[in-house]
Amino acid sequence: MPSPTPARRSRRALLRVASTAAVAASLLAVPLPGASAAPSTGAAIAEVYGGGGNSGATLKNDFIELGNPSGAAFGLSGYSVQYLPGSPSASSQWGVTALSGSIAPGGRYLVAEGAGAGGTVALPAADASGNLALSATTGTVALVDGTAALTCKTAADCAADPRIVDLVGFGTAVVREGSPAAGASNTASVARGASLADTDDNARDLAAGDPTPTNTKGESAGGGTTTPPTTPPVPGDLRIHDVQGSTRTSPRNGQTVTNVPGTVTGVRAYGTKGFWIQDPNPDADPATSEGLFVYTSSAPTVKVGDSVLVTGKVSEYYPNSSGGSQSITELTGPKTTVLSSGNPVPAPVVLDAANIPAAYAPDAGGGSIDALPLDPAKYALDLYESLEGTNVQVADVPVVQATDKYNELWVDALATDPRTARGGVVYLGYDAPNNGRIMIQSLPPLTEVPFPVANVGDELTGATTGPLDYNQFGGYTIAANTLGAVKDNGLQPEVAEQGKKNELTIGTYNVENLDPGDGPEKFARLAEGVVTNLGSPDIVALEEIQDDNGAVNDGTVGAATTVQTFIAAIEAAGGPAYDWRGIDPVDGQDGGEPGGNIRQVFLFNPDRVSFTDIPGGSSTTAVDVTGKNNKTRLTASPGRIDPGNEAWASSRKPLVGQFEFKGKPVFVIANHFNSKGGDQGIDSRFQAPTRSSEVQRTAQATVEQAFVAELLAADPKARIVSLGDFNDYQFSPALRTLTKDGVLRDLVNELPESERYSYVYQGNSQVLDHILVSPALKPEKTHYDVVHINSEFAAQASDHDPQVVRIKP
């Protein structure tokens, strides 16, 4: 299946590690955990110095300095700063200094702490005082909402304490955010930069340097006054459309822009924290967006409707650079001034058939389209880019991908996109990406506005409105302030027609990394799919069966417990007592989730078919063909097709088995070709996008096609069924290769176009799973069905739909 790639600063980059093989494979080293207290909404620890009065020190006292990066005063009544030694013992306790007063917007606040015997210079007049004796080289300081002493002594426990507003660990501190800040000494403090940027990594955010204690009056050590440079609260020379420009990248990229005016249209306090602003006075150029994202790294303090001036550095952020994603133009390290509140938000641009072009993207011969002038009237991808960050709206739109566990769904804003028979949007070719697909996410916390649960074919009625964002896994996204309501159109799981007694039924089902650790509910749901929806096929090829301890990477490769647990669940659901065959892979050689050792397995009903066991098959032994005509046989059953061929590197090898039904042999090949991980998305900034993974799948198809041709050369009437998760489309080079010279026929092409799909990705209903048959199994002898029970539903047992073919004698 398509494999999303992780990117920075997103909750989903963390949540998907557990289930995404491509992500897991990239996590070769995991840093030690650090505390991750929610960054301050209006105050942060700006500087920490513990060398006061020590040998070589100039200042007499330790100090903690706070700062306020926001545009509003931050009251400190009831707050405290607290200190814990760098390596706390069982008896260590947090020391507390209570605070009062407030920090002005952009201002500083000085807390004087314990004095040493040395030093010659006094701190400026402190705004609060305590007697904490900070270490000069290692320790942890916290800004706390409350004055009761903290009790946590590990990074994880402190991260879970909601009272901690900000936390700085330095030296070798056990408790810290990310890695501890380095370089603190008798003569050096650790301090944030002028913007007080907070990325939840102390080592990144704070640097060692000369101590610079500053109080709320701007007074510094020695009695002088430090007045930070200020910018008058009036708009600067540039507007948002000047920053965005008329291409995909800003003409001001890398530059600091001053006092860019706008109205706040959306605030995101989770994941990629920040807010959107939009100019209520647009220019006349449809190519220049009037919206812009401001990346704050901590929870923003502004509100929708605030009129603001923002100073910050222009940056082009590529959420998924390896996948060729579009960039997001944004301001980083911002300083924000709120001029007024309660202002009307600019009216949304309605996305529908009236403005979404028929063409999808300009063609740059595989190169980047970043520098091409945007033509929003000609290309859909240019239209969305020209509206980046702008308030947009869809209304009364069909749901074309169900709500997922990350509270996202996809809708189609374009009535001309081809519909599936059940209300989705069917993907019929590389040149037909379906222009109206839009993802919907919500901005308010789900505790305030529950995200709608919808299936494909439902309708999102009313208006859904918010800034147009770009998702890290691909696709333009409405970060919705207001959400429409779901009209349930009653989509039901399909049930395949039951096979007749004289018909051989063969099914395929990708069971999505199944192992005993998944628990009985998943096994029961998958079993129900086999029994009720597929009608208990005589033979079932399963993909993504994991070894007996799942993702535990300890050398285990056997999967008997996994398979027997599934067989028992099928019996409990009223199905037959299946037998099974499979071959354990070499540990770590078949791709998938590290440690999982996924493989294909045959289940078969011994009351209906028999398996022809032929010894000699192993994970590294190639199966071959022997005999002629009706005496044609495999040299090993089960066996693997050319497992040493480089086409199968880090990928599943086809499993072939010889069965007998009503006295005649049937050869079945269970497949799971390599995934699409690493391909550039259809909305890539590289157009046309490169599908690099196709090369290996085409090579795999070449190897298998040669094996099938060898079988047919021995017996032109051989009954061969090749099925499984091919991870590719019916029109792809791999499937064209498999069907070359007529050795196999892809049954999905015999369905109506509106029924050709087994998987839904980015709102496109598409084919990844196939059943192919040899010429002996003529169309009048086969009845094929993709049984839609998962891909269109919010509640899924797997992300793939199973398939079944009934073969007449």
Side-chain angles (χ1 to χ4, degrees):
M1 65 181 183
S3 300
T5 304
R8 68 169 169 115
R9 55 183 216 227
S10 169
R11 61 189 173 92
R12 300 199 303 154
L14 300 176
L15 289 170
R16 293 192 173 180
V17 166
S19 62
T20 303
V23 172
S26 70
L27 297 182
L28 300 178
V30 180
L32 291 173
S36 186
S40 165
T41 57
I45 298 169
E47 189 171 0
V48 175
Y49 177 60
N54 291 0
S55 175
T58 300
L59 295 173
K60 296 179 179 181
N61 289 71
D62 301 340
F63 70 86
I64 301 166
E65 185 181 310
L66 307 178
N68 179 1
S70 76
F74 187 89
L76 290 170
S77 178
Y79 283 74
S80 63
V81 290
Q82 302 193 19
Y83 172 74
L84 184 71
S87 298
S89 65
S91 61
S92 298
Q93 295 183 338
W94 286 83
V96 180
T97 299
L99 308 177
S100 61
S102 64
I103 317 176
R108 299 300 174 105
Y109 182 101
L110 183 63
V111 184
E113 296 295 0
T120 57
V121 177
L123 296 174
D127 302 300
S129 297
N131 57 7
L132 301 178
L134 277 61
S135 166
T137 57
T138 181
T140 303
V141 173
L143 173 60
V144 180
D145 185 358
T147 56
L150 299 171
T151 58
C152 58
K153 294 180 184 177
T154 67
D157 287 346
C158 288
D161 194 325
R163 295 173 297 164
I164 297 177
V165 177
D166 192 21
L167 183 142
V168 170
F170 59 96
T172 57
V174 171
V175 179
R176 78 278 184 183
E177 291 181 350
S179 299
S185 69
N186 287 353
T187 57
S189 67
V190 289
R192 296 185 193 273
S195 67
L196 299 178
D198 183 359
T199 66
D200 287 346
D201 186 345
N202 295 153
R204 178 179 177 182
D205 295 337
L206 292 96
D210 294 335
T212 57
T214 305
N215 62 17
T216 54
K217 296 179 181 180
E219 296 170 342
S220 60
T225 300
T226 300
T227 303
T230 60
T231 303
V234 295
D237 295 332
L238 299 177
R239 297 296 185 266
I240 292 172
H241 48 253
D242 298 317
V243 175
Q244 285 280 13
S246 58
T247 68
R248 283 176 164 76
T249 56
S250 171
R252 305 283 176 170
N253 188 24
Q255 300 177 18
T256 296
V257 294
T258 303
N259 281 356
V260 177
T263 302
V264 177
T265 58
V267 176
R268 185 158 57 203
Y270 62 87
T272 307
K273 300 180 181 69
F275 60 93
W276 287 267
I277 58 175
Q278 185 170 336
D279 196 327
N281 300 303
D283 66 3
D285 187 350
T288 57
S289 174
E290 301 296 340
L292 186 63
F293 185 68
V294 180
Y295 173 53
T296 58
S297 77
S298 59
T301 58
V302 297
K303 303 181 297 299
V304 172
D306 283 354
S307 177
V308 298
L309 302 176
V310 183
T311 296
K313 184 177 181 179
V314 181
S315 174
E316 292 293 338
Y317 167 50
Y318 292 91
N320 181 357
S321 58
S322 64
S325 72
Q326 302 287 321
S327 67
I328 300 170
T329 304
E330 59 185 26
L331 296 184
T332 62
K335 179 179 179 182
T336 304
T337 301
V338 178
L339 301 178
S340 61
S341 299
N343 300 283
V345 172
V349 176
V350 177
L351 298 173
D352 58 18
N355 60 6
I356 299 176
Y360 188 65
D363 191 341
S368 173
I369 59 176
D370 274 353
L372 297 181
L374 295 174
D375 191 346
K378 186 174 182 179
Y379 301 112
L381 213 55
D382 285 15
L383 171 70
Y384 297 140
E385 177 64 23
S386 74
L387 296 172
E388 178 190 85
T390 300
N391 203 28
V392 300
Q393 182 181 99
V394 292
D396 300 326
V397 285
V399 175
V400 295
Q401 182 162 335
T403 304
D404 63 21
K405 60 185 176 182
Y406 311 109
N407 294 298
E408 304 159 342
L409 59 81
W410 289 72
V411 300
D412 182 35
L414 193 58
T416 57
D417 284 337
R419 288 278 181 268
T420 70
R422 290 160 59 86
V425 173
V426 64
Y427 183 51
L428 295 175
Y430 297 124
D431 59 347
N434 297 320
N435 299 3
R437 298 167 300 106
I438 301 286
M439 180 189 277
I440 307 293
Q441 296 175 327
S442 71
L443 280 180
L446 298 179
T447 53
E448 296 178 13
V449 182
F451 194 80
V453 177
N455 296 325
V456 170
D458 290 346
E459 186 177 358
L460 196 60
T461 62
T464 295
T465 306
L468 188 64
D469 194 19
Y470 184 83
N471 184 270
Q472 73 165 31
F473 298 113
Y476 283 92
T477 303
I478 298 178
N481 285 307
T482 60
L483 280 162
V486 172
K487 177 184 176 184
D488 185 351
N489 284 329
L491 189 73
Q492 295 296 314
E494 289 187 331
V495 176
E497 184 177 337
Q498 189 72 36
K500 297 179 176 61
K501 287 186 178 181
N502 66 335
E503 291 179 328
L504 174 65
T505 55
I506 305 177
T508 176
Y509 201 170
N510 181 318
V511 291
E512 195 177 10
N513 289 329
L514 186 66
D515 68 75
D518 289 327
E521 182 180 355
K522 179 173 180 177
F523 278 90
R525 291 197 60 197
L526 290 168
E528 181 184 7
V530 170
V531 176
T532 302
N533 303 95
L534 288 182
S536 300
D538 301 321
I539 302 169
V540 185
L542 301 175
E543 300 85 51
E544 294 197 19
I545 291 287
Q546 290 199 335
D547 62 37
D548 290 337
N549 61 11
V552 177
N553 198 357
D554 63 356
T556 298
V557 294
T561 301
T562 303
V563 179
Q564 293 292 0
T565 302
F566 191 30
I567 289 173
I570 290 172
E571 288 190 68
Y578 281 112
D579 200 350
W580 70 285
R581 296 292 187 274
I583 293 177
D584 294 335
V586 177
D587 184 35
Q589 296 300 304
D590 281 19
E593 187 175 26
N597 289 310
I598 55 176
R599 84 289 308 276
Q600 304 89 267
V601 164
F602 291 123
L603 303 186
F604 63 95
N605 182 352
D607 292 337
R608 296 272 302 160
V609 297
S610 60
F611 190 88
T612 304
D613 287 295
I614 302 172
S618 75
S619 59
T620 57
T621 303
V623 66
D624 206 345
V625 178
T626 185
K628 284 287 186 180
N629 297 321
N630 60 359
K631 296 191 180 297
T632 297
R633 297 289 185 268
L634 301 176
T635 58
S637 176
R640 297 178 110 193
I641 297 175
D642 199 2
N645 194 298
E646 63 180 9
W648 310 111
S650 298
S651 183
R652 283 67 55 186
K653 289 69 175 170
L655 180 72
V656 58
Q658 183 173 321
F659 295 84
E660 186 173 300
F661 180 70
K662 295 189 178 299
K664 294 183 179 180
V666 179
F667 303 96
V668 183
I669 306 171
N671 299 276
H672 188 186
F673 281 15
N674 77 296
S675 81
K676 293 182 177 294
D679 286 6
Q680 294 169 354
I682 57 178
D683 59 359
S684 169
R685 68 181 181 277
F686 301 105
Q687 291 292 333
T690 298
R691 298 179 293 272
S692 57
S693 68
E694 280 187 351
V695 175
Q696 185 174 5
R697 283 193 300 280
T698 303
Q700 292 173 342
T702 300
V703 174
E704 182 164 324
Q705 194 270 354
F707 176 81
V708 174
E710 184 182 3
L711 257 177
L712 291 175
D715 181 7
K717 296 181 180 180
R719 297 189 298 174
I720 306 168
V721 178
S722 177
L723 74 174
D725 177 5
F726 291 87
N727 265 317
D728 224 335
Y729 315 118
Q730 68 273 30
F731 45 80
S732 67
L735 269 297
R736 290 200 303 268
T737 298
L738 272 172
T739 55
K740 187 178 68 172
D741 300 330
V743 301
L744 292 171
R745 189 175 90 251
D746 191 354
L747 297 181
V748 75
N749 293 316
E750 298 172 11
L751 295 178
E753 286 187 344
S754 63
E755 297 178 19
R756 296 177 189 174
Y757 62 97
S758 63
Y759 188 87
V760 183
Y761 183 67
Q762 292 186 1
N764 271 329
S765 294
Q766 55 195 243
V767 177
L768 293 185
D769 309 85
H770 302 257
I771 296 180
L772 303 98
V773 297
S774 59
L777 300 175
K778 301 182 185 304
E780 62 270 18
K781 291 181 176 289
T782 55
H783 186 281
Y784 165 76
D785 192 10
V786 180
V787 186
H788 302 300
I789 62 175
N790 289 317
S791 68
E792 300 169 311
F793 294 90
Q796 299 181 344
S798 168
D799 49 352
H800 290 248
D801 287 327
Q803 306 183 358
V804 65
V805 60
R806 304 197 320 266
I807 300 174
K808 299 176 183 178

